[in-house]
Amino acid sequence: MTTLRIATYNLLHGQPLAADGSPAPYPAEPGAALAGAVASLDADVLALQEVDRHQERSGGTDQAAVAAKAMGAADWRFAAALHGTPARSAGWVTDPAVPGLQVYGPADADHGADRPAYGTALLTRLPVLHWRARRFAPAPFGLPLRVAGRRGLTAVPDEPRAALAAVLAGPAGEFTVVAAHLSFVPGWNVAQLAAIRRWIADLPQPYLVLGDFNLIGAVPRTVLGSAHAIQRTATRDRVRTARRTRLQGWYDLARTPTYPSHRPTVQFDHILGIGVPRSTVGSVAAPRTGVSDHRPLVVEIDV
């Protein structure tokens, strides 16, 4: 039997934090803290959100590449939800020359180095049989939120989001993993999660959907279960098959607070699965790393 370590981690662009949760200076080597945090997870599959690529604020590093090297990933992809730089107050100053989704991988170390980007990454030590990426448009309005390093609430516009899916060759056969970062706007994030379930419908099960969903409690698994609901027009045999699948159901492989990292009280970060027997799920951890206002979420699965 082989144990796989599956993890998701919202990086907050690799921002180091002090013990009280306030921003701390980047080290002399800007990617060092991030590399150390990722290496400590020892993940076989890792989803990353709020990932910088060649941004001045994070020392110009390609954070997906830094993380891949730190964990020894055989393959990885970074999906740029946007190209541009952070605005002084909140939001982004986007680069009109690159308005849509761009995906980078190990072969793109120098490609687009003059075009800072921000998005989602998926890294794995396992062989990848198929990659897929998509972008979600931002909600037409934002919300007042707490921003690290600022007092009170800051009006924050929503931003484009990106998701990555990979069909992996695991020890027990093929399975599909999705890395996602969803909107913080209520309802908008629910629609994005339901869209992800439809988007991967033609890919092989089991499914693992990882990421920062900006949703809490039973909402994520309920949304995925609803997207998997039986169609009224199904035949009797299809209904029986669908019922068996729903009995297995979408479920949380880990239930533990992940935010804020210095004193976690709520779980925004999730690892959800279907077709993964509950009996195979082992230890669950949300360790503090000193990087980001989120804690990583790590689950061990025996296959």
Side-chain angles (χ1 to χ4, degrees):
M1 185 171 292
T2 301
T3 299
L4 294 180
R5 288 175 62 84
I6 312 295
T8 182
Y9 191 9
N10 181 318
L11 296 184
L12 186 66
H13 53 268
Q15 175 66 60
L17 296 184
D20 64 355
S22 60
Y26 280 85
E29 173 53 51
L34 171 61
V38 169
S40 70
L41 303 180
D42 191 24
D44 297 295
V45 179
L46 176 61
L48 299 175
Q49 305 86 43
E50 297 195 23
V51 184
D52 274 1
R53 188 172 195 265
H54 305 312
Q55 294 285 353
E56 182 179 356
R57 68 180 178 183
S58 48
T61 57
D62 183 343
Q63 292 187 331
V66 168
K69 182 177 180 181
M71 67 177 278
D75 201 357
W76 58 273
R77 293 293 185 273
F78 167 74
L82 60 85
H83 287 77
T85 55
R88 289 188 176 182
S89 55
W92 291 85
V93 178
T94 57
D95 181 352
V98 195
L101 176 71
Q102 294 287 324
V103 179
Y104 302 93
D108 301 309
D110 300 319
H111 179 67
D114 58 338
R115 291 179 172 171
Y118 172 81
T120 300
L122 181 57
L123 309 87
T124 178
R125 295 169 176 169
L126 301 175
V128 181
L129 305 177
H130 175 72
W131 284 104
R132 181 177 292 183
R134 71 171 294 170
R135 183 177 185 265
F136 293 101
F141 55 89
L143 292 174
L145 300 174
R146 292 193 179 277
V147 177
R150 299 180 189 173
R151 293 183 177 180
L153 299 177
T154 301
V156 179
D158 196 19
E159 61 196 33
R161 309 283 169 159
L164 282 159
V167 178
L168 305 181
E174 298 178 9
F175 66 104
T176 299
V177 175
V178 180
H181 186 202
L182 306 183
S183 171
F184 55 72
V185 176
W188 208 258
N189 45 20
V190 168
Q192 290 172 344
L193 186 56
I196 284 173
R197 175 61 189 89
R198 296 189 296 270
W199 178 56
I200 62 171
D202 62 324
L203 300 180
Q205 288 196 39
Y207 295 146
L208 290 171
V209 180
L210 327 175
D212 175 4
F213 300 156
N214 283 302
L215 295 167
I216 62 174
V219 175
R221 66 177 181 270
T222 301
V223 171
L224 288 171
S226 297
H228 194 69
I230 302 171
Q231 298 295 324
R232 291 184 178 179
T233 56
T235 65
R236 181 174 299 177
D237 288 342
R238 288 174 60 196
V239 168
R240 288 173 179 166
T241 301
R243 281 176 179 163
R244 286 196 295 270
T245 304
R246 292 188 71 194
L247 285 173
Q248 296 174 0
W250 285 91
Y251 71 98
D252 299 271
L253 276 66
R255 298 184 188 177
T256 188
T258 57
Y259 180 89
S261 57
H262 69 290
R263 192 178 299 165
T265 57
V266 68
Q267 182 176 356
F268 290 133
D269 307 276
H270 299 270
I271 298 177
L272 294 163
I274 189 170
V276 181
R278 293 174 187 261
S279 60
T280 64
V281 179
S283 67
V284 172
R288 190 174 185 188
T289 65
V291 172
S292 179
D293 55 350
H294 289 244
R295 291 194 180 195
L297 185 62
V298 186
V299 173
E300 291 189 342
I301 302 174
D302 292 328
V303 294

